[in-house]
Amino acid sequence: MTTNNTNNPRYLAVKTLEKVSDGAYSNLQISNVIDSTKMNEKDIRLFTNIVYGVIQHRLTFAYYIDVLVKHPHKLKQWVKELLYSAIYQMQYLDKVPNRAIFNESIKIAKERGDDGTRRLVTAVLHKIDRNGVPEISHRLSDLEKQSISASVPVWLIQQLNNQVGKQKNKSILSTINQAANQSIRVNLKKTNLEELQAQLSDLGFEVRKSEVAADALVVSNGVAAHTDLFKQGFYTIQDESAMLPVQSMDINSSDVILDTCAAPGGKTTQIAEQLDDGFVVAVDLHENKLPKIIKNAVRMGLDQNVKVKAMDATNVNDEFSDEFFDKILVDAPCSGLGLIRRKPEIKYEKQLKDVTDLSKIQSEILDAVAPKLKVNGQLVYSTCTILNQENSKVVKQFLETHPNFESIKVKTKNNLKPNENSDYLKVFPDDYGSDGFYIAGFKRVK
């Protein structure tokens, strides 16, 4: 007799993990499942926890299965995901008893597979229960051991060791598999920080002020996107680090501002919030993403100050006259390696070649938008990655080829890292528990 798996968080987690392993984005798949099922808040938390947890530790769990199963390459993908999800629960979820993990996992194995699959899953889980997970072989190199234990590809570990040093990299790797904070940005056109903090507390959320970004709160014990306050536009969901590029801009209420690569519009609305008779032009290469920018702006009551246009940011020359904008934000397309905590599949998908290719696109965008900035105007360049190839090297090249621009010190409202010698600001995932981000500022001097 089969059970109803429509709202079973463990069953749904395995299905979601299958899709992610096939190339789907984890955050979008999770949102789709939550919106299309009737799980309660407790089950939503378990489902989300399992999905992210398995993806974060995928290389580690794959190593365990390679040791525990005689022919691991013959396993169907869903069986691997089922085993990974069971191991994750056994290793990391202290409040979930093993009998519940065993019963649910074996039930899923029986319903989705055959009796042989059920016996294999049962045997593997009982073996782990008796002996623990396998130790990582001492015959592997230090890099390979670190790759397996942190579940990060060798190439990325090597790059970070070279760029930030082994000690700093060890600190980064120790934090990137932790759960990402749920942070929100207050819409100051509708409310203020203290009032919203009190309202969310009344709804049962645990709330604290962000140490990273101004006008931001870190919330837990609930889903912030499911409240009436969110639907009414009193706040938006945004990582603390992602708020910093716009907070570093010296925006006047009448400015005309270009936001390149703008979707889904978090920074667009952040800019629009500071405008009265000015406006922000949000451009994005993908026309199908523009409605989401408008939807966010409408929800927050900011659509009067937002214009959207589908276009390649490297082709702004065809659309806007020179010296048209007071400020320009280039939140550039990047490898996203600063978002590993939030989108853990990124670390498996990207290769060093991707980083190199993206750095060329980033430079092309900066080259294209530079003439569109007014003299004495401010250009802010940001990425959600932590590798120099997409950050400081792009900035160095831009300054060398654009003598009419000069670097300016990036300042944030919370005065982060005031003793840094460089003009740019780099936030690593282990610094504050937020996303990894890079921000550089320029002034056009002639």
Side-chain angles (χ1 to χ4, degrees):
M1 182 177 175
T2 61
T3 56
N4 180 8
N5 288 311
T6 307
N7 300 306
N8 182 328
R10 292 181 174 87
Y11 181 88
L12 293 170
V14 173
K15 294 281 286 184
T16 302
L17 287 163
E18 274 186 277
K19 292 181 179 179
V20 173
S21 70
D22 200 33
Y25 290 115
S26 59
N27 57 331
L28 298 181
Q29 285 301 314
I30 286 171
S31 295
N32 290 341
V33 170
I34 291 173
D35 291 342
S36 62
T37 60
K38 295 180 180 178
M39 287 187 288
N40 58 38
E41 290 290 330
K42 182 181 177 182
D43 284 346
I44 287 173
R45 286 196 293 272
L46 177 61
F47 159 74
T48 305
N49 196 336
I50 292 172
V51 173
Y52 277 131
V54 168
I55 300 171
Q56 285 166 338
H57 299 279
R58 184 176 292 281
L59 294 185
T60 312
F61 297 159
Y63 177 83
Y64 294 159
I65 296 304
D66 283 349
V67 174
L68 292 166
V69 176
K70 193 170 185 180
H71 301 292
H73 61 282
K74 293 184 179 180
L75 293 177
K76 292 180 179 178
Q77 190 61 40
W78 74 264
V79 179
K80 290 182 181 180
E81 304 299 347
L82 176 60
L83 288 169
Y84 297 167
S85 64
I87 295 170
Y88 174 72
Q89 293 172 78
M90 293 168 73
Q91 290 291 107
Y92 293 96
L93 302 187
D94 296 336
K95 295 180 181 178
V96 181
N98 276 1
R99 66 176 183 279
I101 300 167
F102 284 25
N103 290 342
E104 288 289 332
S105 301
I106 293 167
K107 191 184 299 178
I108 294 168
K110 186 177 180 181
E111 292 182 6
R112 288 202 59 180
D114 53 24
D115 201 48
T117 304
R118 178 191 62 78
R119 287 198 301 271
L120 182 142
V121 169
T122 304
V124 170
L125 297 186
H126 280 290
K127 193 170 185 179
I128 295 172
D129 194 38
R130 288 194 307 272
N131 305 325
V133 293
E135 290 187 6
I136 298 174
S137 172
H138 66 276
R139 290 191 291 270
L140 296 173
S141 70
D142 288 343
L143 263 177
E144 289 171 322
K145 290 177 189 174
Q146 197 172 20
S147 173
I148 292 167
S149 61
S151 196
V152 172
V154 167
W155 77 266
L156 183 52
I157 294 175
Q158 288 175 316
Q159 286 292 311
L160 288 170
N161 280 345
N162 292 338
Q163 294 183 17
V164 303
K166 290 184 178 180
Q167 199 59 39
K168 177 64 174 176
N169 190 22
K170 188 176 179 182
S171 176
I172 293 171
L173 295 177
S174 72
T175 64
I176 58 172
N177 289 328
Q178 296 170 357
N181 288 332
Q182 184 179 206
S183 54
I184 63 175
R185 193 187 80 243
V186 181
N187 182 358
L188 297 178
K189 291 277 191 182
K190 290 194 172 187
T191 186
N192 60 59
L193 192 77
E194 289 73 22
E195 187 175 325
L196 183 62
Q197 186 171 4
Q199 289 174 307
L200 289 169
S201 295
D202 288 344
L203 291 175
F205 286 91
E206 293 179 12
V207 190
R208 63 175 173 84
K209 291 182 181 179
S210 168
E211 64 174 316
V212 179
D215 310 317
L217 298 169
V218 179
V219 299
S220 56
N221 198 38
V223 182
H226 289 176
T227 70
D228 287 338
L229 290 168
F230 173 78
K231 293 171 186 173
Q232 293 162 12
F234 285 87
Y235 61 86
T236 195
I237 313 296
Q238 191 176 21
D239 183 77
E240 300 161 88
S241 293
M243 302 177 200
L244 298 177
V246 174
Q247 290 192 358
S248 75
M249 298 174 77
D250 186 19
I251 296 174
N252 298 311
S253 62
S254 58
D255 278 345
V256 177
I257 300 176
L258 174 64
D259 180 8
T260 67
C261 319
K267 296 178 183 68
T268 302
T269 56
Q270 191 177 4
I271 292 169
E273 192 181 301
Q274 301 177 60
L275 302 175
D276 292 327
D277 52 341
F279 61 91
V280 52
V281 181
V283 304
D284 199 273
L285 177 62
H286 306 284
E287 189 166 5
N288 62 321
K289 293 183 178 181
L290 297 181
K292 190 161 189 179
I293 299 176
I294 293 296
K295 184 178 179 182
N296 279 331
V298 169
R299 178 179 61 82
M300 299 182 74
L302 302 168
D303 49 302
Q304 294 299 311
N305 301 99
V306 175
K307 300 180 180 182
V308 299
K309 186 159 189 67
M311 66 182 303
D312 185 336
T314 62
N315 292 330
V316 293
N317 214 31
D318 302 332
E319 190 67 28
F320 305 108
S321 59
D322 287 353
E323 299 187 41
F324 186 83
F325 295 101
D326 298 289
K327 311 282 189 316
I328 296 177
L329 172 64
V330 177
D331 186 46
C334 69
S335 61
L337 291 168
L339 308 180
I340 287 176
R341 191 186 280 117
R342 198 171 300 281
K343 297 179 180 179
E345 66 270 23
I346 285 174
K347 59 186 173 179
Y348 313 120
E349 296 169 352
K350 300 298 181 184
Q351 302 294 330
L352 186 56
K353 184 181 182 300
D354 299 316
V355 173
T356 305
D357 291 345
L358 282 161
S359 69
K360 296 173 184 174
I361 296 171
Q362 293 152 2
S363 292
E364 288 173 5
I365 293 173
L366 284 173
D367 290 343
V369 303
K372 308 306 169 186
L373 186 66
K374 293 178 181 177
V375 175
N376 295 319
Q378 183 186 17
L379 168 61
V380 169
Y381 172 77
S382 64
T383 70
C384 52
T385 189
I386 53 178
L387 292 182
N388 292 340
Q389 290 94 323
E390 299 177 82
N391 295 330
S392 54
K393 289 186 177 180
V394 171
V395 166
K396 183 175 183 289
Q397 180 182 329
F398 177 76
L399 289 170
E400 287 174 350
T401 54
H402 295 80
N404 58 331
F405 280 79
E406 64 180 22
S407 175
I408 56 176
K409 180 79 172 176
V410 171
K411 297 178 181 177
T412 60
K413 292 186 177 180
N414 283 11
N415 196 27
L416 297 186
K417 300 189 175 183
N419 299 321
E420 291 284 310
N421 293 324
S422 55
D423 284 344
Y424 61 77
L425 174 67
K426 183 178 278 190
V427 176
F428 291 99
D430 63 319
D431 289 340
Y432 307 102
S434 59
D435 289 344
F437 241 84
Y438 176 92
I439 307 159
F442 312 99
K443 178 182 179 181
R444 181 171 178 180
V445 293
K446 60 182 178 181

Short mmCIF file of all heavy atoms in Angstrom, two decimals, residues 75-117:
data_model
loop_
_atom_site.label_atom_id
_atom_site.label_comp_id
_atom_site.label_asym_id
_atom_site.label_seq_id
_atom_site.Cartn_x
_atom_site.Cartn_y
_atom_site.Cartn_z
N LEU A 75 23.94 2.97 -9.52
CA LEU A 75 22.78 3.50 -8.81
C LEU A 75 22.06 4.55 -9.65
O LEU A 75 22.70 5.41 -10.28
CB LEU A 75 23.20 4.14 -7.48
CG LEU A 75 23.76 3.22 -6.39
CD1 LEU A 75 24.18 4.06 -5.18
CD2 LEU A 75 22.74 2.17 -5.99
N LYS A 76 20.76 4.51 -9.65
CA LYS A 76 19.98 5.57 -10.29
C LYS A 76 20.15 6.86 -9.48
O LYS A 76 20.39 6.80 -8.26
CB LYS A 76 18.51 5.18 -10.37
CG LYS A 76 18.24 4.02 -11.33
CD LYS A 76 16.76 3.68 -11.37
CE LYS A 76 16.51 2.52 -12.35
NZ LYS A 76 15.08 2.12 -12.38
N GLN A 77 19.99 8.00 -10.15
CA GLN A 77 20.23 9.27 -9.47
C GLN A 77 19.33 9.46 -8.27
O GLN A 77 19.76 9.95 -7.22
CB GLN A 77 20.07 10.44 -10.45
CG GLN A 77 20.54 11.79 -9.91
CD GLN A 77 22.02 11.78 -9.55
OE1 GLN A 77 22.84 11.20 -10.26
NE2 GLN A 77 22.37 12.41 -8.44
N TRP A 78 18.06 9.07 -8.38
CA TRP A 78 17.14 9.28 -7.26
C TRP A 78 17.55 8.45 -6.05
O TRP A 78 17.34 8.87 -4.90
CB TRP A 78 15.69 9.01 -7.67
CG TRP A 78 15.30 7.56 -7.85
CD1 TRP A 78 15.26 6.87 -9.02
CD2 TRP A 78 14.89 6.64 -6.83
NE1 TRP A 78 14.87 5.57 -8.81
CE2 TRP A 78 14.61 5.41 -7.47
CE3 TRP A 78 14.71 6.73 -5.45
CZ2 TRP A 78 14.18 4.28 -6.78
CZ3 TRP A 78 14.27 5.61 -4.75
CH2 TRP A 78 14.01 4.41 -5.41
N VAL A 79 18.14 7.26 -6.29
CA VAL A 79 18.59 6.43 -5.18
C VAL A 79 19.77 7.10 -4.47
O VAL A 79 19.85 7.11 -3.23
CB VAL A 79 18.98 5.01 -5.67
CG1 VAL A 79 19.46 4.16 -4.49
CG2 VAL A 79 17.80 4.34 -6.36
N LYS A 80 20.69 7.67 -5.26
CA LYS A 80 21.80 8.42 -4.66
C LYS A 80 21.26 9.56 -3.80
O LYS A 80 21.71 9.78 -2.67
CB LYS A 80 22.72 8.97 -5.75
CG LYS A 80 23.53 7.92 -6.49
CD LYS A 80 24.44 8.58 -7.51
CE LYS A 80 25.25 7.55 -8.29
NZ LYS A 80 26.13 8.20 -9.30
N GLU A 81 20.30 10.32 -4.36
CA GLU A 81 19.76 11.47 -3.63
C GLU A 81 19.04 11.02 -2.36
O GLU A 81 19.11 11.70 -1.32
CB GLU A 81 18.80 12.27 -4.52
CG GLU A 81 19.39 12.78 -5.83
CD GLU A 81 20.56 13.72 -5.67
OE1 GLU A 81 20.81 14.21 -4.56
OE2 GLU A 81 21.26 13.97 -6.68
N LEU A 82 18.38 9.88 -2.43
CA LEU A 82 17.71 9.33 -1.24
C LEU A 82 18.73 8.98 -0.17
O LEU A 82 18.55 9.31 1.02
CB LEU A 82 16.89 8.10 -1.64
CG LEU A 82 16.20 7.35 -0.50
CD1 LEU A 82 15.21 8.25 0.23
CD2 LEU A 82 15.49 6.10 -1.04
N LEU A 83 19.83 8.33 -0.56
CA LEU A 83 20.88 7.98 0.40
C LEU A 83 21.55 9.23 0.96
O LEU A 83 21.81 9.33 2.16
CB LEU A 83 21.91 7.07 -0.27
CG LEU A 83 21.45 5.64 -0.56
CD1 LEU A 83 22.45 4.92 -1.45
CD2 LEU A 83 21.23 4.86 0.74
N TYR A 84 21.84 10.19 0.07
CA TYR A 84 22.45 11.44 0.54
C TYR A 84 21.56 12.13 1.56
O TYR A 84 22.03 12.63 2.59
CB TYR A 84 22.69 12.41 -0.62
CG TYR A 84 23.65 11.95 -1.70
CD1 TYR A 84 23.71 12.64 -2.92
CD2 TYR A 84 24.50 10.86 -1.53
CE1 TYR A 84 24.59 12.25 -3.92
CE2 TYR A 84 25.37 10.46 -2.53
CZ TYR A 84 25.40 11.16 -3.73
OH TYR A 84 26.26 10.77 -4.73
N SER A 85 20.26 12.19 1.26
CA SER A 85 19.34 12.90 2.16
C SER A 85 19.23 12.19 3.51
O SER A 85 19.12 12.84 4.56
CB SER A 85 17.96 13.06 1.51
OG SER A 85 17.35 11.81 1.29
N ALA A 86 19.27 10.87 3.50
CA ALA A 86 19.23 10.11 4.76
C ALA A 86 20.50 10.34 5.56
O ALA A 86 20.45 10.56 6.78
CB ALA A 86 19.04 8.63 4.46
N ILE A 87 21.65 10.31 4.88
CA ILE A 87 22.93 10.55 5.57
C ILE A 87 22.96 11.95 6.15
O ILE A 87 23.40 12.17 7.29
CB ILE A 87 24.12 10.34 4.61
CG1 ILE A 87 24.20 8.88 4.17
CG2 ILE A 87 25.43 10.74 5.29
CD1 ILE A 87 25.21 8.63 3.04
N TYR A 88 22.47 12.93 5.38
CA TYR A 88 22.45 14.31 5.89
C TYR A 88 21.64 14.40 7.18
O TYR A 88 22.08 15.01 8.16
CB TYR A 88 21.87 15.25 4.84
CG TYR A 88 21.69 16.67 5.38
CD1 TYR A 88 22.80 17.48 5.62
CD2 TYR A 88 20.43 17.14 5.72
CE1 TYR A 88 22.66 18.74 6.15
CE2 TYR A 88 20.28 18.42 6.26
CZ TYR A 88 21.39 19.21 6.47
OH TYR A 88 21.25 20.46 7.03
N GLN A 89 20.47 13.78 7.18
CA GLN A 89 19.62 13.84 8.38
C GLN A 89 20.29 13.16 9.56
O GLN A 89 20.24 13.65 10.69
CB GLN A 89 18.27 13.19 8.09
CG GLN A 89 17.42 13.95 7.07
CD GLN A 89 16.20 13.15 6.68
OE1 GLN A 89 15.22 13.08 7.42
NE2 GLN A 89 16.26 12.53 5.51
N MET A 90 20.93 12.03 9.31
CA MET A 90 21.60 11.29 10.39
C MET A 90 22.79 12.05 10.96
O MET A 90 23.05 12.03 12.16
CB MET A 90 22.06 9.92 9.88
CG MET A 90 20.93 8.97 9.52
SD MET A 90 21.50 7.50 8.61
CE MET A 90 22.33 6.59 9.91
N GLN A 91 23.51 12.76 10.08
CA GLN A 91 24.74 13.42 10.47
C GLN A 91 24.52 14.83 11.04
O GLN A 91 25.28 15.29 11.90
CB GLN A 91 25.69 13.54 9.27
CG GLN A 91 26.28 12.22 8.80
CD GLN A 91 27.27 11.64 9.79
OE1 GLN A 91 26.98 10.67 10.48
NE2 GLN A 91 28.42 12.26 9.91
N TYR A 92 23.49 15.52 10.54
CA TYR A 92 23.38 16.95 10.84
C TYR A 92 22.08 17.37 11.54
O TYR A 92 22.02 18.47 12.07
CB TYR A 92 23.52 17.77 9.55
CG TYR A 92 24.90 17.68 8.95
CD1 TYR A 92 25.19 16.78 7.94
CD2 TYR A 92 25.93 18.49 9.42
CE1 TYR A 92 26.47 16.68 7.39
CE2 TYR A 92 27.21 18.41 8.88
CZ TYR A 92 27.46 17.50 7.87
OH TYR A 92 28.73 17.42 7.34
N LEU A 93 21.06 16.53 11.55
CA LEU A 93 19.79 16.93 12.17
C LEU A 93 19.60 16.16 13.48
O LEU A 93 19.03 15.06 13.49
CB LEU A 93 18.61 16.70 11.21
CG LEU A 93 18.70 17.42 9.87
CD1 LEU A 93 17.41 17.25 9.08
CD2 LEU A 93 19.01 18.92 10.05
N ASP A 94 20.07 16.74 14.56
CA ASP A 94 20.07 16.06 15.86
C ASP A 94 18.68 15.73 16.37
O ASP A 94 18.49 14.75 17.10
CB ASP A 94 20.80 16.92 16.90
CG ASP A 94 22.27 17.12 16.57
OD1 ASP A 94 22.81 16.27 15.84
OD2 ASP A 94 22.86 18.12 17.01
N LYS A 95 17.70 16.56 16.01
CA LYS A 95 16.36 16.39 16.57
C LYS A 95 15.52 15.36 15.83
O LYS A 95 14.39 15.07 16.23
CB LYS A 95 15.63 17.75 16.60
CG LYS A 95 16.28 18.77 17.53
CD LYS A 95 15.52 20.08 17.52
CE LYS A 95 16.18 21.11 18.45
NZ LYS A 95 15.49 22.41 18.43
N VAL A 96 16.06 14.82 14.73
CA VAL A 96 15.31 13.82 13.96
C VAL A 96 15.82 12.43 14.33
O VAL A 96 16.98 12.11 14.09
CB VAL A 96 15.48 14.05 12.44
CG1 VAL A 96 14.68 13.00 11.66
CG2 VAL A 96 15.04 15.46 12.06
N PRO A 97 14.99 11.59 14.94
CA PRO A 97 15.44 10.25 15.35
C PRO A 97 15.74 9.36 14.14
O PRO A 97 15.07 9.46 13.11
CB PRO A 97 14.26 9.70 16.16
CG PRO A 97 13.08 10.48 15.71
CD PRO A 97 13.58 11.83 15.30
N ASN A 98 16.74 8.49 14.31
CA ASN A 98 17.14 7.62 13.20
C ASN A 98 15.99 6.72 12.72
O ASN A 98 15.89 6.43 11.52
CB ASN A 98 18.33 6.75 13.61
CG ASN A 98 19.65 7.49 13.43
OD1 ASN A 98 19.68 8.65 13.01
ND2 ASN A 98 20.74 6.82 13.73
N ARG A 99 15.14 6.31 13.63
CA ARG A 99 14.05 5.40 13.21
C ARG A 99 13.12 6.09 12.21
O ARG A 99 12.62 5.47 11.26
CB ARG A 99 13.27 4.89 14.42
CG ARG A 99 12.49 5.93 15.18
CD ARG A 99 11.67 5.31 16.32
NE ARG A 99 10.87 6.32 17.01
CZ ARG A 99 11.34 7.14 17.94
NH1 ARG A 99 12.63 7.05 18.32
NH2 ARG A 99 10.57 8.04 18.52
N ALA A 100 12.90 7.41 12.40
CA ALA A 100 12.05 8.15 11.46
C ALA A 100 12.74 8.28 10.11
O ALA A 100 12.11 8.13 9.06
CB ALA A 100 11.74 9.54 12.02
N ILE A 101 14.06 8.53 10.14
CA ILE A 101 14.83 8.64 8.89
C ILE A 101 14.80 7.30 8.16
O ILE A 101 14.57 7.24 6.95
CB ILE A 101 16.28 9.06 9.19
CG1 ILE A 101 16.31 10.43 9.90
CG2 ILE A 101 17.10 9.12 7.90
CD1 ILE A 101 17.67 10.78 10.51
N PHE A 102 15.04 6.21 8.91
CA PHE A 102 15.05 4.86 8.30
C PHE A 102 13.69 4.53 7.70
O PHE A 102 13.60 4.10 6.55
CB PHE A 102 15.41 3.81 9.35
CG PHE A 102 16.88 3.76 9.71
CD1 PHE A 102 17.69 4.86 9.54
CD2 PHE A 102 17.44 2.61 10.21
CE1 PHE A 102 19.04 4.83 9.86
CE2 PHE A 102 18.80 2.55 10.54
CZ PHE A 102 19.59 3.67 10.37
N ASN A 103 12.65 4.71 8.48
CA ASN A 103 11.30 4.33 8.03
C ASN A 103 10.91 5.08 6.76
O ASN A 103 10.42 4.47 5.80
CB ASN A 103 10.27 4.60 9.14
CG ASN A 103 10.42 3.64 10.31
OD1 ASN A 103 11.05 2.58 10.19
ND2 ASN A 103 9.85 4.00 11.45
N GLU A 104 11.13 6.39 6.77
CA GLU A 104 10.74 7.21 5.61
C GLU A 104 11.60 6.88 4.39
O GLU A 104 11.09 6.77 3.27
CB GLU A 104 10.86 8.70 5.94
CG GLU A 104 9.80 9.21 6.90
CD GLU A 104 8.42 9.30 6.26
OE1 GLU A 104 8.35 9.47 5.04
OE2 GLU A 104 7.43 9.17 7.00
N SER A 105 12.89 6.73 4.59
CA SER A 105 13.79 6.45 3.47
C SER A 105 13.50 5.10 2.84
O SER A 105 13.47 4.95 1.61
CB SER A 105 15.25 6.52 3.93
OG SER A 105 15.56 7.79 4.45
N ILE A 106 13.29 4.09 3.68
CA ILE A 106 13.00 2.74 3.18
C ILE A 106 11.65 2.71 2.48
O ILE A 106 11.48 2.05 1.45
CB ILE A 106 13.08 1.72 4.34
CG1 ILE A 106 14.53 1.62 4.84
CG2 ILE A 106 12.56 0.36 3.90
CD1 ILE A 106 14.68 0.90 6.16
N LYS A 107 10.71 3.47 3.01
CA LYS A 107 9.38 3.55 2.39
C LYS A 107 9.48 4.16 0.99
O LYS A 107 8.87 3.66 0.02
CB LYS A 107 8.46 4.39 3.26
CG LYS A 107 6.99 4.34 2.86
CD LYS A 107 6.16 5.28 3.71
CE LYS A 107 6.21 4.91 5.18
NZ LYS A 107 5.42 5.86 6.01
N ILE A 108 10.27 5.24 0.86
CA ILE A 108 10.45 5.88 -0.45
C ILE A 108 11.17 4.92 -1.41
O ILE A 108 10.80 4.80 -2.58
CB ILE A 108 11.25 7.20 -0.31
CG1 ILE A 108 10.43 8.22 0.47
CG2 ILE A 108 11.63 7.76 -1.68
CD1 ILE A 108 11.22 9.45 0.91
N ALA A 109 12.18 4.21 -0.90
CA ALA A 109 12.90 3.25 -1.73
C ALA A 109 11.97 2.15 -2.26
O ALA A 109 12.06 1.74 -3.42
CB ALA A 109 14.04 2.63 -0.94
N LYS A 110 11.08 1.69 -1.41
CA LYS A 110 10.14 0.63 -1.78
C LYS A 110 9.13 1.12 -2.81
O LYS A 110 8.80 0.40 -3.76
CB LYS A 110 9.43 0.12 -0.52
CG LYS A 110 8.54 -1.09 -0.76
CD LYS A 110 7.94 -1.57 0.56
CE LYS A 110 7.05 -2.79 0.34
NZ LYS A 110 6.45 -3.25 1.62
N GLU A 111 8.65 2.35 -2.61
CA GLU A 111 7.61 2.86 -3.50
C GLU A 111 8.17 3.30 -4.87
O GLU A 111 7.51 3.14 -5.89
CB GLU A 111 6.89 4.04 -2.84
CG GLU A 111 6.07 3.60 -1.64
CD GLU A 111 5.30 4.77 -1.02
OE1 GLU A 111 5.33 5.87 -1.59
OE2 GLU A 111 4.69 4.56 0.04
N ARG A 112 9.38 3.82 -4.89
CA ARG A 112 9.94 4.29 -6.15
C ARG A 112 10.77 3.23 -6.87
O ARG A 112 11.00 3.33 -8.07
CB ARG A 112 10.81 5.54 -5.91
CG ARG A 112 10.01 6.78 -5.58
CD ARG A 112 10.80 8.03 -5.87
NE ARG A 112 11.21 8.14 -7.26
CZ ARG A 112 11.91 9.15 -7.76
NH1 ARG A 112 12.29 10.14 -6.95
NH2 ARG A 112 12.25 9.19 -9.03
N GLY A 113 11.23 2.24 -6.14
CA GLY A 113 12.08 1.23 -6.75
C GLY A 113 11.52 -0.17 -6.58
O GLY A 113 10.32 -0.37 -6.48
N ASP A 114 12.44 -1.14 -6.55
CA ASP A 114 12.03 -2.53 -6.37
C ASP A 114 12.55 -3.05 -5.03
O ASP A 114 13.13 -2.28 -4.24
CB ASP A 114 12.53 -3.40 -7.52
CG ASP A 114 14.04 -3.25 -7.74
OD1 ASP A 114 14.75 -2.86 -6.79
OD2 ASP A 114 14.50 -3.51 -8.87
N ASP A 115 12.38 -4.33 -4.79
CA ASP A 115 12.78 -4.89 -3.51
C ASP A 115 14.30 -4.83 -3.33
O ASP A 115 14.80 -4.67 -2.22
CB ASP A 115 12.29 -6.34 -3.39
CG ASP A 115 12.21 -6.79 -1.94
OD1 ASP A 115 11.65 -6.03 -1.12
OD2 ASP A 115 12.75 -7.87 -1.62
N GLY A 116 15.03 -4.93 -4.44
CA GLY A 116 16.49 -4.84 -4.37
C GLY A 116 16.94 -3.45 -3.91
O GLY A 116 17.88 -3.33 -3.11
N THR A 117 16.26 -2.42 -4.41
CA THR A 117 16.58 -1.05 -3.99
C THR A 117 16.29 -0.88 -2.51
O THR A 117 17.08 -0.26 -1.78
CB THR A 117 15.75 -0.04 -4.81
OG1 THR A 117 15.99 -0.25 -6.19
CG2 THR A 117 16.13 1.39 -4.44
#
